[in-house]
Amino acid sequence: MKKKLLLGFLSLSLVVVLGACGDKSAENGGKEGLTIKVGASPEPHSKILEHIKPALEKEGVKLEIVEFTDYVLPNQQVDQKQLDANFFQHKPYLDSEVKKRGMDLESVVNVHVEPLGAYSKKIKSVDELRDGAVVAIPNDPSNGGRALTLLAKNGLIKLQDENKLESTAKDITENPKNLQIQEVEAAMLPRMLDEMDMAIINTNYALEADLDPTKDALFIEEKDNPYANILVARSDNKDSEAIQKLAKALTSDDVKEFIEKEYKGAAIPAF
């Protein structure tokens, strides 16, 4: 009987000690072993996050990066609290997804612009684009509209309103080369270059496919556009100490220098 009582007392003591350790971590603002999980595209977002890991460690924040190759799951997982934040998208895309899916997500800070570019394995100049050529664009509303605007700015089509962020093929008013516009999932575009005459590709997917936007693109967006890539969090955690430290690290002079040296115009600081 005494042996059972002693074991029970020891078990209770262990629970109390473990509970006290957890409370101590919480009282220190989570600085002991605090981990923040951020979803990101492999290029250039994940590389930028990897670069700031040491700086965040010094601030008491351990950064865990979860890579995604699609544009849907990162937002869903932040909204469902499987992730703390994500870094892969621009605000027009975020606004479109929030409206469509009813998610509680907000932009925290602008980080960089990835100019959208036109690529081809069949032609070396846009002047060589044949009549009736097949041109692939991203199938999500914000990037699809962005691609059509890029085509319009380069004289291939005319749109009803070039300032409309979510133009569709129905907004094309003039198409002198009778281009056949095909909407394709953004991640698939680099793999379909052999089948298409030309494709409008997001820079992160171009980089993953070993395409150099500054050398391989037939034409590319100007840096002054509304498509800065952003850090995104929920309304209930965007002002937290950890998220704000992450935002500060992403917009530091060190990151600005890293983006400029590493990407040489394929990604441009937006701060």
Side-chain angles (χ1 to χ4, degrees):
M1 183 68 177
K2 288 182 179 180
K3 187 175 181 180
K4 288 182 179 179
L5 287 171
L6 180 60
L7 286 172
F9 176 75
L10 289 172
S11 298
L12 180 60
S13 299
L14 180 60
V15 171
V16 171
V17 170
L18 288 175
C21 290
D23 289 343
K24 184 179 179 182
S25 177
E27 288 170 2
N28 289 336
K31 292 182 181 179
E32 293 183 5
L34 173 65
T35 298
I36 183 170
K37 293 178 69 174
V38 180
S41 298
E43 281 280 10
H45 310 82
S46 182
K47 280 192 176 180
I48 296 171
L49 290 171
E50 286 285 353
H51 179 74
I52 64 172
K53 269 187 174 182
L56 284 174
E57 288 272 7
K58 291 178 181 178
E59 293 289 325
V61 179
K62 182 179 179 182
L63 178 61
E64 182 178 329
I65 303 165
V66 183
E67 291 190 348
F68 293 87
T69 56
D70 78 292
Y71 285 168
V72 177
L73 286 175
N75 279 332
Q76 289 181 344
Q77 293 197 12
V78 174
D79 188 58
Q80 295 165 3
K81 300 189 177 182
Q82 297 175 48
L83 296 171
D84 298 298
N86 67 47
F87 175 39
F88 76 96
Q89 65 193 315
H90 50 65
K91 195 168 187 302
Y93 179 79
L94 173 67
D95 291 344
S96 174
E97 288 293 282
V98 166
K99 182 179 179 181
K100 180 166 66 175
R101 304 179 192 276
M103 296 181 289
D104 184 24
L105 304 179
E106 295 185 26
S107 172
V108 180
V109 70
N110 291 354
V111 182
H112 70 276
V113 173
E114 297 174 21
L116 199 66
Y119 300 85
S120 176
K121 289 188 176 180
K122 297 183 178 181
I123 60 174
K124 293 183 178 180
S125 166
V126 70
D127 296 331
E128 300 172 20
L129 202 61
R130 64 182 177 87
D131 187 76
V134 179
V135 178
I137 66 172
N139 67 353
D140 62 273
S142 61
N143 282 309
R146 182 183 179 187
L148 291 173
T149 297
L150 183 61
L151 291 173
K153 287 185 180 298
N154 283 273
L156 292 172
I157 60 172
K158 284 191 177 180
L159 295 171
Q160 190 171 1
D161 181 3
E162 283 190 20
N163 295 315
K164 182 180 175 182
L165 295 182
E166 293 190 1
S167 292
T168 70
K170 294 179 180 179
D171 295 305
I172 297 174
T173 57
E174 292 184 30
N175 186 359
K177 283 184 175 285
N178 299 305
L179 301 179
Q180 305 301 304
I181 307 295
Q182 289 195 12
E183 296 182 350
V184 176
E185 184 182 350
M188 294 294 294
L189 288 167
R191 304 174 211 173
M192 299 185 70
L193 272 180
D194 289 327
E195 305 168 33
M196 305 292 175
D197 292 291
M198 187 170 72
I200 310 298
I201 304 176
N202 295 78
T203 291
N204 60 304
Y205 290 131
L207 292 172
E208 288 170 32
D210 294 324
L211 294 169
D212 184 336
T214 60
K215 296 178 181 178
D216 297 327
L218 299 175
F219 51 85
I220 197 166
E221 279 180 327
E222 298 291 334
K223 65 179 180 179
D224 297 325
N225 64 64
Y227 297 101
N229 279 224
I230 53 179
L231 174 66
V232 170
R234 296 182 304 277
S235 61
D236 67 0
N237 74 340
K238 69 182 181 67
D239 295 320
S240 68
E241 184 179 358
I243 294 294
Q244 289 302 309
K245 284 181 176 179
L246 174 59
K248 184 177 179 181
L250 280 171
T251 54
S252 65
D253 289 339
D254 175 63
V255 166
K256 184 176 183 179
E257 184 178 344
F258 175 78
I259 292 172
E260 290 172 342
K261 286 186 176 180
E262 185 75 13
Y263 296 103
K264 298 178 175 64
I268 304 163
F271 55 91

